[in-house]
């Protein structure tokens, strides 16, 4: 009885919320059927990444080369991490606008739908993951931004996947300048020595399959630097799950 009553109250509350705040598209604000959804036009222009894609980098292929194929980029310059998966291409204006609103405009409520999409896109790597580790911000940047968007996404993914999250495993000890405009080599040099594993967290990392969580994957320099630290702490494997990834980054 109590469960049924709680369900009725919850349903009534949701209907009242829809009346006060009618559901609108996350991107363009057109009316939609439910909160946290996209209108058909924005959905079609999000640039969702689907198979076929590179097994290592998660970058989309133009045609299907068969299961387990990797790109020329992954073969020529293998990443430190094992696999990367992403929801959308960063070159989609609509996808990029959501990433920017979450990261720079305090739209923390966007972590909910983006995190749910990430949990679906990363189902393969989450199926045997032991721990989620979000990419940390340097303490000075965290003070100015007030929240870590990667940690916010990780907590939603943890709820959706039942994989626990450890937001304090990694510490960003180097206040790296923005990566925008840097070459791949400059990005890698910029990130060298940027992360450290907290000593008390080492037992949680050793022998575990770790999934690093971030909002955007560009050249992979940040993910590689973080994965290297976790592997040195004897993590069994490190995969990467992001909301958006840049395709064709030089």
């Amino acid at each position: 009885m109590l469960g049924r009553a709680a369900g009725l109250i919850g349903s009534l509350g949701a209907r009242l919320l829809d009346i006060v705040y009618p559901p609108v598209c996350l991107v363009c604000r057109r009316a939609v059927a439910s909160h946290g959804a996209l209108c058909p036009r924005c959905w079609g222009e999000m640039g969702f990444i689907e198979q076929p894609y590179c097994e290592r980098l998660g970058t989309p292929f133009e045609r299907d080369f068969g299961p387990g194929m990797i790109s020329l980029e992954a073969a020529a310059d293998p990443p430190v991490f094992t696999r990367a998966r992403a929801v959308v291409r960063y070159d989609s204006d609509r996808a990029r606008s959501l990433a920017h609103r979450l990261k720079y405009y305090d739209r923390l409520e966007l972590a909910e739908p983006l995190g749910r999409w990430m949990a679906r896109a990363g189902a393969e790597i989450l199926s045997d993951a032991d721990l989620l580790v979000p990419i940390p911000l340097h303490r000075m940047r965290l003070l100015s931004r007030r929240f870590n968007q990667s940690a916010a996404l990780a907590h939603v993914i943890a709820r959706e996947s039942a994989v626990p999250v450890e937001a304090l495993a990694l510490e960003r000890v180097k206040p790296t300048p923005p990566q925008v405009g840097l070459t791949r080599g400059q990005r890698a040099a910029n990130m060298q020595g940027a992360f450290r594993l907290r000593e008390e967290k080492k037992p949680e990392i050793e022998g575990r399959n770790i999934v690093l969580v971030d909002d955007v994957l560009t050249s992979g320099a940040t993910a590689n630097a973080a994965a290297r630290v976790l592997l040195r702490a004897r993590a069994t494997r490190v995969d990467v799950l992001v909301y958006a990834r840049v395709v064709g980054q030089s």
Side-chain angles (χ1 to χ4, degrees):
M1 263 316 264
L2 288 176
R4 184 180 178 184
L8 289 172
I9 292 171
S11 177
L12 179 60
R15 291 178 184 177
L16 289 174
L17 179 65
D18 287 349
I19 293 171
V20 178
Y21 299 105
V24 294
C25 174
L26 292 172
V27 178
C28 70
R29 313 301 290 173
R30 287 188 179 93
V32 292
S34 60
H35 291 281
L38 296 168
C39 71
R41 178 181 176 184
C42 289
W43 180 271
E45 297 180 12
M46 279 290 289
F48 287 106
I49 296 175
E50 299 177 347
Q51 291 184 330
Y53 48 66
C54 171
E55 175 68 16
R56 294 295 303 276
L57 299 177
T59 48
F61 289 137
E62 291 185 3
R63 62 188 181 91
D64 195 348
F65 296 99
M69 291 297 294
I70 65 171
S71 61
L72 293 175
E73 179 186 354
D77 186 17
V80 177
F81 52 85
T82 301
R83 297 170 294 179
R85 297 292 182 265
V87 178
V88 292
R89 299 172 58 117
Y90 192 65
D91 56 12
S92 160
D93 289 341
R94 282 166 166 74
R96 188 168 58 250
S97 72
L98 291 180
H100 284 186
R101 290 179 203 177
L102 171 64
K103 189 170 186 175
Y104 301 118
Y105 297 98
D106 296 336
R107 294 288 303 279
L108 190 55
E109 76 278 5
L110 290 175
E112 179 69 27
L114 270 56
R116 291 200 306 268
W117 295 345
M118 290 170 69
R120 288 196 291 270
E124 176 190 6
I125 61 176
L126 291 169
S127 63
D128 58 355
D130 298 308
L131 196 66
L132 303 174
V133 174
I135 295 290
L137 294 176
H138 188 268
R139 62 182 180 276
M140 297 307 295
R141 189 166 294 177
L142 184 59
L143 282 173
S144 64
R145 198 173 287 171
R146 297 194 296 276
F147 73 95
N148 179 359
Q149 72 280 356
S150 300
L153 292 168
H155 283 292
V156 176
I157 297 166
R159 188 197 66 220
E160 294 292 311
S161 66
V163 179
V165 57
E166 180 46 77
L168 300 178
L170 286 176
E171 181 182 11
R172 197 163 192 147
V173 295
K174 180 180 174 182
T176 53
Q179 302 272 69
V180 178
L182 300 183
T183 65
R184 180 181 294 272
Q186 289 170 332
R187 288 171 182 266
N190 196 26
M191 294 306 302
Q192 189 172 358
F195 300 107
R196 178 175 63 198
L197 182 69
R198 286 185 166 88
E199 190 70 28
E200 67 274 17
K201 300 298 181 180
K202 285 184 178 180
E204 299 182 37
I205 300 301
E206 186 173 354
R208 302 292 186 89
N209 294 329
I210 308 297
V211 174
L212 280 168
V213 177
D214 206 358
D215 56 341
V216 178
L217 181 65
T218 307
S219 67
T222 300
N224 278 333
R228 192 172 286 112
V229 171
L230 294 170
L231 290 169
R232 284 174 181 165
R234 299 184 178 179
T236 299
R237 187 180 68 233
V238 178
D239 294 315
V240 176
L241 180 56
V242 298
Y243 159 64
R245 71 151 303 130
V246 173
V247 176
Q249 174 70 31
S250 61

